[in-house]
Amino acid sequence: ICNNLFITSTFGAGIVTMNNALSHLSIKGNTTNNGTFTSTNGLTDFRSANAQTISGSGTTTFYNLRLNNSNAAGVSLFKPITTAATLTFLNGILTTTATNILNMSGGSSVSTVSNISFVNGPMNKTGSTDFIFPVGKDNVYRPISITTLSGSETFTAEYIHADPDGVPYDVTLKDAALDDIGRCEYWML
């Protein structure tokens, strides 16, 4: 259990577990997890003025995760991670890819998202509750939401700040029920 500890973390082949509600792990550098990091309670805080990365070959599950990074590059994922409870965006961009994705568990939530703090890239949400995906790109927060779900599913969402015509869609083939298609942005859900 770490309490207000500022570190650059490297977790070896072992198991690190945070299971105390008062646990607060503040990471000011990069994190490499080659074991298992599980936070069943408490808060992990990525707090820095420098770009940060999360990498390694191990499984990484955060309970409460807070992004507080003032660097333009923010925090970049080089491995998939999971947030089990709350993801709080205070400052900074969380950059993901289809391979190195953010997974939000069933019942999890996000808070304080803004034009300076959101997910840049795809992310997953599992569960049966309404959810607003905190996605954006190019310093613009552009959320998309799911509502009125009938069962537990996993959804992937991403905001793309580009014309959808050509790649991946031909806008002339739009459904007849659509009057117009925006040509500057689109979402994948």
Side-chain angles (χ1 to χ4, degrees), residues 19-138:
N19 61 7
N20 183 313
L22 300 177
S23 297
H24 181 169
L25 175 62
S26 290
I27 300 175
K28 293 194 81 164
N30 298 325
T31 296
T32 303
N33 175 18
N34 292 321
T36 301
F37 177 87
T38 303
S39 177
T40 58
N41 216 326
L43 169 68
T44 304
D45 187 17
F46 280 83
R47 173 187 300 259
S48 184
N50 300 311
Q52 293 176 281
T53 62
I54 302 173
S55 63
S57 59
T59 302
T60 303
T61 302
F62 301 104
Y63 186 74
N64 291 309
L65 177 60
R66 183 166 59 199
L67 188 66
N68 192 7
N69 182 297
S70 61
N71 189 281
V75 178
S76 296
L77 297 186
F78 290 99
K79 66 175 286 56
I81 65 167
T82 300
T83 300
T86 303
L87 173 55
T88 303
F89 291 90
L90 295 181
N91 192 13
I93 306 300
L94 179 62
T95 300
T96 66
T97 66
T99 303
N100 303 307
I101 198 160
L102 166 66
N103 299 291
M104 300 291 295
S105 297
S108 62
S109 62
V110 297
S111 68
T112 62
V113 186
S114 69
N115 283 336
I116 64 167
S117 197
F118 54 82
V119 175
N120 174 28
M123 65 173 290
N124 292 333
K125 173 63 168 107
T126 300
S128 58
T129 57
D130 296 354
F131 186 76
I132 298 173
F133 290 87
V135 293
K137 208 171 284 313
D138 301 328

Side-chain angles (χ1 to χ4, degrees), residues 101 121-125 133 135-137 142-146 155-164 167-169 185-189:
I101 198 160
M123 65 173 290
N124 292 333
K125 173 63 168 107
F133 290 87
V135 293
K137 208 171 284 313
R142 292 289 188 256
I144 186 170
S145 63
I146 52 175
F155 293 89
T156 302
E158 181 175 10
Y159 169 73
I160 295 92
H161 192 197
D163 185 346
V167 179
Y169 305 104
E185 64 186 358
Y186 63 99
W187 290 258
M188 298 290 291
L189 179 63

